[in-house]
């Protein structure tokens, strides 16, 4: 029963996350009058909803993961990831390259979806606190980075290392683009200024996707390709040794299930 | 200045008020007032050890440049034409107008103002205070963040030590591949430390050594609150207030549950943070402009909140009372400046242990 409720909470949270990012595309005509009359309401309410949803999800995930070993391992891995982001802030690399996604992907792949989700959210939170990047974008970043770690945990584990690395490289590149495409959506409704690439409430799914595609191509694609290529390079160079090291510690940490 | 004694909650209210004001009042004059207020607060109230984490002026110029350029090239509306681009150029072909550039600059100004507001909060409120804002119900995750923040300096030191050790062996970091002998030992060393930390935590009675689950009732209430909040959010697009009420109900359910879960957590405050008159003043002055913006007050000229330079560029309107109310966001800076003694900003409480143990 409890497992069923947990699954429903995860599903509802995932639906809320997707809806919060995708509502600009699917807002129907009948809702347009209200939304345009309160142009600021919709994004602010959505921000509020995503914070609440994130809190619920964290309470639920935390309720299953309170062992001291999990807490300590998470804390140290979050610290390593935060240091990488700190170095990225100090010595910025041109383009969207950032080294924080590779550890999230690799740890999620080895330790599983739940650990990956927690590492993604906590790493973004801690590194934002350290680098002074707390802002309205943070809940969205936490949610999306959590998805990165969680989906990494769902990847199959082929026996051959070469196939593993190919899988992880493709996954890292895809999330390099996806992260930017998803993150843009949180502020896209705020730049509703009548351009062919801006949000037009009630424009319909097809037109909305077309407008967003134009916006993404003009403002983000090159930047996000940089992030994707950075993920590929990091996973190619560091992927297998990191996976081996994490797998060794996974056995030592003995992440037990009490079910 | 003893910023560690600041009440972070009042600063969160200040930030929320400044952000909502900047977003709701679409008028460059009002945005400039919020920007100036936030900047002044950052200069006067920042912790002494906290410099600017970002080159704000440079970032501001970049934001303004790109938003102006983007809007000028993409929007072909307005009476004052600067020049024309060939019509067959995808998206950007057509007349480039002053009005479109002004709208782009206005959007950039709002984005820059939000950045300055949050940078100010990061400079005023310490990391520890921000972590303490975490609900007690999320205690384990707060511990994760605290471990991470505590271990960041140690991890930096370890990184330096590994690089030095590798340099002694003749290793030089030139390309990405050369980072492998540095980063893998850093990861392994970190995980070894995690083992030690976990054992120390268990030895001191922290939590359990095995995973556990939330009670079923807690899960069901969480699910109920989440569904109500989501349903309210969806309904709010069609019918407004009823949706907001439903969403508010869901949020209240979740907050009450978090509060209840938090009460089960033993909690000890080493240094209590009393809510002083100064903090009440900070929150009151911050919320004041929101009242003028959102309440139906006949003496406030609401047309000034929706400035648009289309079709012909005009000077934005300005409501004196609204402008003055937004100036109140600089209350922390004015209070600090007039008092001359920054300790007024942060009344220092003598360290004392206050236990809120509930069990």
């Amino acid at each position: 029963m409890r497992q069923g409720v947990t699954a429903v909470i995860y599903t509802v949270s995932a639906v809320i996350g997707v809806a919060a990012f995708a509502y600009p595309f699917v807002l129907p005509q009948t809702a347009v009058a209200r939304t345009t009359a309160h142009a600021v309401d919709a994004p602010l309410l959505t921000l509020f909803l995503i914070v609440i949803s994130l809190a619920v999800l964290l309470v639920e995930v935390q309720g299953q993961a309170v062992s001291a070993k999990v807490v300590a391992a998470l804390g140290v891995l979050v610290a390593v990831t935060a240091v990488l982001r700190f170095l990225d802030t100090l010595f910025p690399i041109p383009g969207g390259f950032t080294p924080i996604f590779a550890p999230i992907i690799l740890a999620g792949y080895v330790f599983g979806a739940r650990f990956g989700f927690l590492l993604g959210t906590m790493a973004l939170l801690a590194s934002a606190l350290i680098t002074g990047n707390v802002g309205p974008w943070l809940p969205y970043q936490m949610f999306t980075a959590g998805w990165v770690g969680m989906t990494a945990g769902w990847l199959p584990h082929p026996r051959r290392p070469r196939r593993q690395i190919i899988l992880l490289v493709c996954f890292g590149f895809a999330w390099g683009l996806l992260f930017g495409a998803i993150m843009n959506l949180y502020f896209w409704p705020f730049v509703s200024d009548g351009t062919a690439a801006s949000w037009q409430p009630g424009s319909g799914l097809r037109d909305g996707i077309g407008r967003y595609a134009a916006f993404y191509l003009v403002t983000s694609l090159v930047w996000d390709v940089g992030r994707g290529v950075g993920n590929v390079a990091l996973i190619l160079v560091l992927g297998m040794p990191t996976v081996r090291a994490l797998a060794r510690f996974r056995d030592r940490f003995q992440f037990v299930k009490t079910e | 200045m003893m910023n560690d004694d600041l009440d972070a909650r009042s600063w969160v209210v200040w930030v929320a008020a400044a952000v909502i004001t900047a977003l709701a009042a679409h008028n460059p004059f009002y945005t400039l007032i919020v920007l100036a207020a936030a900047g002044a607060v950052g200069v006067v109230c920042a912790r002494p050890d906290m410099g600017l984490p970002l080159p704000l002026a440079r970032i501001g110029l970049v934001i303004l440049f790109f938003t102006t350029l983007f809007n000028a090239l993409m929007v072909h509306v307005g009476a004052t034409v600067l020049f024309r681009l060939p019509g067959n150029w995808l998206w950007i072909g057509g007349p480039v107008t002053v009005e479109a550039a002004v709208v782009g600059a206005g959007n950039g100004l709002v984005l820059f103002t939000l950045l300055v507001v949050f940078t100010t909060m990061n400079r005023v409120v310490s990391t520890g205070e921000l972590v303490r804002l975490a609900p007690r119900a999320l205690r384990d995750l707060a511990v994760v963040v605290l471990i991470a923040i505590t271990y960041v300096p140690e991890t930096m030191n370890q990184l330096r030590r590994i690089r030095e050790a590798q340099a002694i062996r003749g290793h030089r970091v030139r390309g990405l591949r050369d980072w492998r002998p540095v980063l893998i030992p850093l990861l392994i060393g970190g995980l070894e430390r995690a083992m030690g930390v976990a054992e120390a935590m268990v030895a001191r009675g922290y939590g359990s050594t095995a995973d556990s689950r939330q009670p079923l009732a807690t899960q069901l209430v969480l699910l109920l609150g989440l569904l109500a909040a989501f349903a309210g959010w969806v309904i709010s697009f069609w019918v407004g207030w009823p949706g907001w009420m439903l969403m508010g109900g869901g949020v209240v359910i979740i907050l009450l549950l978090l509060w209840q879960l938090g009460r089960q957590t033993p909690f000890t405050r080493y240094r209590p943070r009393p809510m002083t008159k100064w903090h009440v003043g900070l929150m009151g002055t911050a919320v004041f402009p929101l009242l003028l913006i959102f309440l139906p007050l006949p003496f406030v000229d609401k047309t000034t909140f929706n400035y648009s330079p289309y079709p012909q560029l005009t000077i934005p309107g300005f409501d004196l009372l609204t402008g003055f109310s937004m100036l109140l966001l600089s209350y922390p800076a004015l209070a600090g400046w007039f008092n001359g003694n920054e300790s007024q900003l942060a009344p220092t409480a003598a360290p004392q242990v206050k236990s809120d143990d509930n069990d």
Side-chain angles (χ1 to χ4, degrees):
Chain A
M1 175 70 176
R2 284 193 301 185
Q3 266 190 327
V5 179
T6 298
V8 175
I9 289 176
Y10 284 176
T11 308
V12 173
S13 297
V15 170
I16 287 176
V18 172
F21 280 113
Y23 82 93
F25 297 128
V26 292
L27 206 60
Q29 281 289 352
T30 45
V32 170
R34 288 214 55 77
T35 312
T36 47
H38 301 276
V40 181
D41 295 351
L44 284 180
L45 282 179
T46 308
L47 173 65
F48 203 51
L49 181 72
I50 206 119
V51 169
I52 285 292
S53 173
L54 194 59
V56 168
L57 202 53
L58 289 175
V59 168
E60 177 57 28
V61 175
Q62 174 194 257
Q64 302 172 40
V66 290
S67 79
K69 285 178 179 172
V70 174
V71 169
L74 261 176
V76 170
L77 283 174
V78 167
V80 171
T81 313
V83 165
L84 292 178
R85 188 174 180 189
F86 186 69
L87 293 175
D88 182 38
T89 308
L90 282 182
F91 312 107
I93 299 167
F97 174 79
T98 173
I100 63 165
F101 290 106
I104 294 171
I105 290 170
L106 296 171
Y109 179 69
V110 174
F111 290 134
R114 197 177 73 189
F115 190 92
F117 179 82
L118 283 175
L119 179 61
T121 51
M122 293 295 106
L124 267 289
L125 175 63
S127 57
L129 289 170
I130 289 162
T131 56
N133 269 310
V134 177
W137 48 84
L138 184 58
Y140 292 94
Q141 284 182 336
M142 289 169 66
F143 224 109
T144 316
W147 283 344
V148 175
M150 188 171 70
T151 48
W154 292 342
L155 287 175
H157 289 69
R159 281 174 178 263
R160 291 185 184 173
R162 193 180 183 83
R163 287 188 182 170
Q164 282 190 28
I165 212 74
I166 290 171
L167 183 70
L168 287 168
V169 159
C170 295
F171 184 82
F173 184 75
W175 263 113
L177 298 181
L178 262 179
F179 185 83
I182 293 173
M183 279 304 297
N184 279 352
L185 283 170
Y186 99 86
F187 72 86
W188 190 48
F190 284 104
V191 284
S192 179
D193 52 16
T195 64
S198 76
W199 182 49
Q200 184 67 45
S203 63
L205 181 62
R206 180 181 285 186
D207 186 54
I209 290 175
R211 285 169 171 276
Y212 183 68
F215 178 81
Y216 183 75
L217 283 175
V218 172
T219 60
S220 307
L221 182 63
V222 176
W223 187 267
D224 289 351
V225 166
R227 184 188 299 117
V229 170
N231 286 350
V232 168
L234 280 176
I235 293 172
L236 270 178
V237 174
L238 301 168
M240 279 325 291
T242 306
V243 166
R244 276 196 292 269
L246 291 174
R248 206 162 57 238
F249 276 93
R250 178 189 57 201
D251 299 336
R252 286 179 65 189
F253 278 123
Q254 292 177 325
F255 292 100
V256 288
K257 289 187 176 176
T258 52
E259 286 303 304
Chain B
M1 179 170 155
M2 300 287 288
N3 275 293
D4 284 346
D5 296 326
L6 287 175
D7 186 286
R9 291 166 298 180
S10 55
W11 280 99
V12 169
V13 172
W14 179 86
V15 166
V19 166
I20 295 172
T21 303
L23 289 173
H26 236 265
N27 181 318
F29 287 148
Y30 297 147
T31 310
L32 280 172
I33 292 175
V34 177
L35 175 64
V41 172
V43 169
V44 175
C45 302
R47 284 172 284 147
D49 59 331
M50 191 67 195
L52 270 177
L54 300 166
L56 272 184
R58 214 182 314 159
I59 290 175
L61 285 175
V62 170
I63 290 175
L64 281 175
F65 175 74
F66 278 106
T67 51
T68 307
L69 185 70
F70 179 75
N71 214 60
L73 292 178
M74 299 291 284
V75 180
H76 308 290
V77 182
T80 318
V81 177
L82 287 171
F83 56 90
R84 288 175 188 277
L85 294 172
N88 56 355
W89 288 12
L90 185 63
W91 292 321
I92 62 173
V96 175
T97 67
V98 172
E99 287 78 10
V102 168
V103 169
N107 289 339
L109 192 62
V110 171
L111 283 177
F112 181 55
T113 302
L114 297 185
L115 184 68
V116 170
V117 167
F118 281 101
T119 304
T120 296
M121 187 189 74
N122 288 317
R123 295 178 70 196
V124 173
V125 185
S126 69
T127 304
E129 283 295 321
L130 285 175
V131 174
R132 281 190 197 99
L133 287 175
R136 280 197 229 174
L138 294 172
R139 61 195 178 279
D140 294 316
L141 298 180
V143 171
V144 168
V145 176
L146 281 175
I147 289 175
I149 290 171
T150 308
Y151 268 85
V152 162
E154 173 57 27
T155 308
M156 297 282 275
N157 285 336
Q158 199 191 2
L159 178 68
R160 184 179 47 78
R161 282 196 297 269
I162 294 170
R163 286 195 65 177
E164 286 172 359
Q166 299 287 20
I168 290 170
R169 296 186 184 97
H171 180 262
R172 294 283 178 273
V173 177
R174 295 188 187 90
L176 190 58
R177 195 175 290 274
D178 298 326
W179 278 96
R180 190 191 284 184
V182 176
L183 290 179
I184 299 298
L186 180 74
L187 177 71
I188 292 172
L191 289 168
E192 286 289 355
R193 273 205 311 279
M195 293 293 291
V197 171
E199 282 162 11
M201 286 166 72
V202 172
R204 286 166 174 77
Y206 176 88
S208 63
T209 52
D211 291 354
S212 62
R213 279 182 171 275
Q214 295 279 18
L216 180 62
T218 303
Q219 286 184 305
L220 288 174
V221 176
L222 276 176
L223 182 60
L224 177 71
L226 195 60
L227 285 172
F230 184 43
W233 176 74
V234 173
I235 292 170
S236 71
F237 287 123
W238 279 269
V239 285
W241 280 105
W244 296 353
M245 298 290 282
L246 185 57
M247 186 176 172
V251 170
V252 167
I253 289 172
I254 292 168
L255 290 180
L256 282 175
L257 183 69
L258 288 178
W259 178 71
Q260 183 59 33
L261 289 173
R263 276 170 56 90
Q264 297 165 7
T265 307
F267 185 79
T268 302
R269 290 196 200 109
Y270 174 69
R271 192 189 292 272
R273 267 72 173 172
M275 183 70 77
T276 64
K277 283 180 188 171
W278 187 88
H279 294 117
V280 175
L282 171 64
M283 290 190 287
T285 50
V287 170
F288 191 65
L290 296 182
L291 299 179
L292 295 191
I293 292 172
F294 290 109
L295 289 183
L297 302 172
F299 50 85
V300 176
D301 183 4
K302 305 235 175 200
T303 58
T304 59
F305 297 151
N306 293 305
Y307 167 69
S308 171
Y310 298 128
Q312 177 84 46
L313 186 64
T314 52
I315 305 257
F318 187 77
D319 183 71
L320 204 59
L321 182 61
T322 306
F324 176 74
S325 74
M326 290 175 184
L327 209 54
L328 290 178
L329 286 167
S330 62
Y331 168 75
L334 293 172
W337 190 64
F338 278 119
N339 286 328
N341 178 6
E342 290 177 342
S343 62
Q344 288 291 320
L345 290 173
T348 307
Q352 61 185 86
V353 176
K354 180 182 177 186
S355 180
D356 280 2
D357 291 5
N358 292 303
D359 51 0

